[in-house]
Structures are given as C-alpha cells and as structure tokens.
Amino acid sequence: MEKINLSEVTSEHLYVSRRKLLVGLGALAASTVILSACRRGGITPPPPPGTDFCDSAYASKDTDELGAKLTSCQDVTHYNNYYEFSTEKEDVATLAQNFKTSPWEVKVGGLVNKPLTFSLDDLLRKFPPEERIYRLRCVEAWSMVIPWLGFPLAALLKEVEPTSKAKYVRFETIYDPNQMPGQKRGILDWPYVEGLRLDEAMHNLTILATGLFGKPLPPQDGAPIRLVVPWKYDFKSIKSIVKIDLVEEMPVSAWMAASPNEYGFYSNVNPDVPHPRWSQSSERRIGQFERIKTLLFNGYADEVAYLYAGMDLKKFF
Ligand SMILES: Nc1nc2c(c(=O)[nH]1)N[C@H]1C(S)=C(S)[C@@H](COP(=O)(O)O)O[C@H]1N2
Ligand SMILES: [Mo]
C-alpha cells in the first residue's frame, strides 16, 4: 500500500546527521543543510509523470518531540478534509490534483502600517521554510503526526507592522468555484475564513506551512500555503490562503457561521470540553489501532497555556 519505507529513509538521514555531529556541525545544522535542498525559492521541479508525491518523502526524524510516530505520507496525502473539493476525505487528493497554485499571491493588510502583497516565491525567499514536526488533532477525533515545512507567521506579521488597534488576524482561502467544485454547493459560506487572536498568531508554534515530508505541499493538503496551529483543532489550519488581515473585532470563522454552538472561535484541543455531539477525551491516530488519550492543548500546554490564563475554557471553547 505504501510506496516508501519511511524508516529506511530516516535511518539513512540519521546516519548522515550523526556523521555531521561527529565532525562538529551538530544535528540541527545537518537537518538545515538537508532542508535547504528543497528551498530554492520554492521552485522544486515537478515530479516526472507517474511518480507519486510519497516516492521521495523525507523527514529528519520518525517521531515528534513527544515520541509519537509520524503518520505515513500516504495517509497524510490521501485522508484529507478540504470541503472546497469534497466532503469525502478519500476523494480530495484526486479532485484537487489539477488545482492551479502558481502564480500565487498572499495579500496582507488591514490594520497595518505597511500593507504588502507577497508572491509565493517572495515568501519562500524571505522566510526560508524549516521542518516542524507537529501533531494535528482533528475536531472529528482523529489525528496525525506530520513533518511540515514552514515559517513562523510572526515573521510575516512583523513585516507589515500591525497597528496598536489590531487585535485579531483574519485569514481567507482562495475563492475559485471553477476550480473548486465544493464552492458551487452551499456547504459553508465561501470563501473559507479563519481567525486567531493576535498573540496566538504571534506565538512561535504558529506557522504558515508551504510543504510536508520535505516537499512543497500537494494541493489536497492546502497548497501552496496554509496555516498550522498545533494546539488547536485542525479546522483552524486554513488551506490555500490568499488574504491575511489584521482586524479589531473577533473574526467569524466559516465553522462558527455554520454552527456556532459546535465550533467556537478558540477551538483549543481540550479533552475536558466535549463537542455537543461527541467526546473529545480520546482520539484515533491514523494508522494505529488503539485509541489514545487526547492531551490538553494537544500536548503543547507548557508552551501555550499562559495565553488563556484566567479564561473559562468551557465558555471560550
Ligand atoms: N480552506 C479549507 N481549509 C481547511 C479545511 C477546508 O475544508 N477548507 N478543512 C479543515 C479541516 S476540518 C481539517 S481536519 C484540516 C485537514 O488538513 P489535511 O487534509 O492537510 O490533514 O484542514 C482544515 N483546513
Ligand atoms: Mo478537521
């Protein structure tokens, strides 16, 4: 079923890292060197016809920092939520395969001193992506562990200089019903919208991802650029972003608009706050058999709990 054996790929790279470590470069430097191969301004040549994205999947490790095993590349790229293409997770990869992601621009504005429009190449040059292995917990109680390539959203936001009035960040997905059959149906209010509080957006864990498994994002995973906020439910991680605005009022996300008592603005992963229709206390890690316990803030509590000090997380769900 799987085309690559990740553990083989990984052990080969670990071997390289260890050698570099011995010659005094350090494992971090080694992985940076390896990653720079897939930067080159984001212009990675398309794979020859007939090759699968996962044929050359690469990750520097086979677990995340908490020891959870990476999800297979095949699952990460064939079990997708992307309602613009389909509500069937297994169909998204096929329906999205011809989605046009070049040229691509991201317009950053709103309450800022320096509104800017970036081409994808500008972004990749200015903010070279690096690997971040993050677990992603879907609100539907499945989860994955994914080696992303990305850069901190904070770096981009600093560039445009938010004014003191800016309190929230609002993100928008591309609106293109000719390419996205789901946008011809009224499942959600299109375009898909998400939001973060400014301090959440500036947190170092919050990234804009442009790749996974060492390669540019495939369309089904949100190419060419998507948000990843690892301590929040996965629907916050909005795909194929074309617009980022700094705003004063809390944005209404597509899911809040669709069903406000099921999906709140914060959507922090919290095993103690059930979804109205199901428990959030455990999850199914894709590719594993036993259910596992869901962790507060998805395991990132040490890093992010301070953002919500004194807030009633049942009320601000
Ligand atoms: N534009 C857009 N972004 C989206 C979605 C979507 O339907 N449209 N689905 C969200 C949900 S519910 C999930 S679980 C993740 C899935 O990301 P993945 O397919 O890359 O794992 O994307 C999120 N971002
Ligand atoms: Mo999700």
Side-chain angles (χ1 to χ4, degrees):
M1 184 187 95
E2 232 168 295
K3 295 234 178 77
I4 57 133
N5 180 340
L6 189 64
S7 59
E8 272 171 26
V9 177
T10 308
S11 54
E12 189 186 319
H13 281 288
L14 276 180
Y15 170 69
V16 174
S17 310
R18 264 190 229 112
R19 275 183 50 211
K20 296 244 162 112
L21 191 70
L22 285 177
V23 298
L25 260 177
L28 186 68
S31 64
T32 309
V33 169
I34 294 160
L35 279 177
S36 64
C38 32
R39 282 181 200 158
R40 290 208 312 278
I43 311 160
T44 305
T51 51
D52 187 85
F53 178 91
C54 292
D55 283 350
S56 52
Y58 167 73
S60 69
K61 302 187 193 70
D62 53 17
T63 65
D64 73 1
E65 68 272 34
L66 297 178
K69 267 183 101 69
L70 295 192
T71 303
S72 78
C73 177
Q74 183 67 21
D75 284 341
V76 173
T77 56
H78 292 85
Y79 191 81
N80 303 104
N81 264 344
Y82 201 167
Y83 279 16
E84 284 85 339
F85 291 101
S86 175
T87 53
E88 297 297 319
K89 296 184 226 317
E90 283 86 359
D91 293 349
V92 175
T94 311
L95 288 168
Q97 65 184 342
N98 296 320
F99 180 57
K100 201 167 168 286
T101 57
S102 169
W104 193 272
E105 282 186 341
V106 182
K107 208 174 161 187
V108 191
L111 301 170
V112 300
N113 292 325
K114 283 175 41 192
L116 287 168
T117 299
F118 297 90
S119 71
L120 191 74
D121 288 343
D122 292 339
L123 289 173
L124 294 169
R125 250 193 314 271
K126 257 186 161 346
F127 313 109
E130 298 199 349
E131 187 189 68
R132 297 269 187 115
I133 301 177
Y134 286 160
R135 43 189 69 200
L136 231 58
R137 169 61 159 77
C138 180
V139 71
E140 296 168 274
W142 49 268
S143 62
M144 298 191 185
V145 183
I146 302 174
W148 302 101
L149 298 176
F151 60 88
L153 172 62
L156 174 62
L157 295 180
K158 281 176 193 152
E159 198 79 11
V160 297
E161 300 176 10
T163 70
S164 58
K165 273 195 143 177
K167 297 288 182 298
Y168 294 91
V169 186
R170 182 183 181 280
F171 306 84
E172 240 180 68
T173 295
I174 191 172
Y175 180 70
D176 188 353
N178 287 332
Q179 288 204 81
M180 297 174 138
Q183 289 182 336
K184 292 183 175 158
R185 299 189 285 266
I187 318 160
L188 292 169
D189 285 337
W190 310 112
Y192 195 101
V193 169
E194 258 307 338
L196 294 174
R197 218 170 56 191
L198 185 55
D199 56 351
E200 299 176 322
M202 296 296 286
H203 195 284
N204 179 50
L205 285 176
T206 302
I207 59 167
L208 287 172
T210 55
L212 43 85
F213 283 100
K215 300 162 76 172
L217 285 175
Q220 62 268 34
D221 289 284
I225 186 163
R226 68 169 298 170
L227 185 68
V228 181
V229 194
W231 71 94
K232 292 182 179 281
Y233 291 119
D234 213 5
F235 60 89
K236 299 296 282 185
S237 294
I238 178 173
K239 295 176 167 180
S240 307
I241 297 167
V242 290
K243 202 160 171 281
I244 301 177
D245 283 311
L246 282 288
V247 296
E248 191 170 2
E249 307 278 319
M250 179 184 286
V252 177
S253 70
W255 285 102
M256 288 163 77
S259 191
N261 50 358
E262 292 181 273
Y263 307 105
F265 175 78
Y266 285 95
S267 296
N268 291 316
V269 175
N270 191 335
D272 303 325
V273 179
H275 182 279
R277 291 185 281 134
W278 60 81
S279 162
Q280 293 290 21
S281 65
S282 70
E283 67 203 58
R284 186 170 65 91
R285 185 68 46 80
I286 299 300
Q288 285 174 213
F289 186 71
E290 327 82 57
R291 289 187 80 81
I292 53 178
K293 277 191 164 178
T294 289
L295 301 173
L296 180 62
F297 298 118
N298 207 21
Y300 300 94
D302 288 351
E303 284 111 311
V304 302
Y306 76 92
L307 293 168
Y308 312 102
M311 284 175 68
D312 177 354
L313 298 178
K314 289 199 161 69
K315 186 168 168 218
F316 298 101
F317 62 92

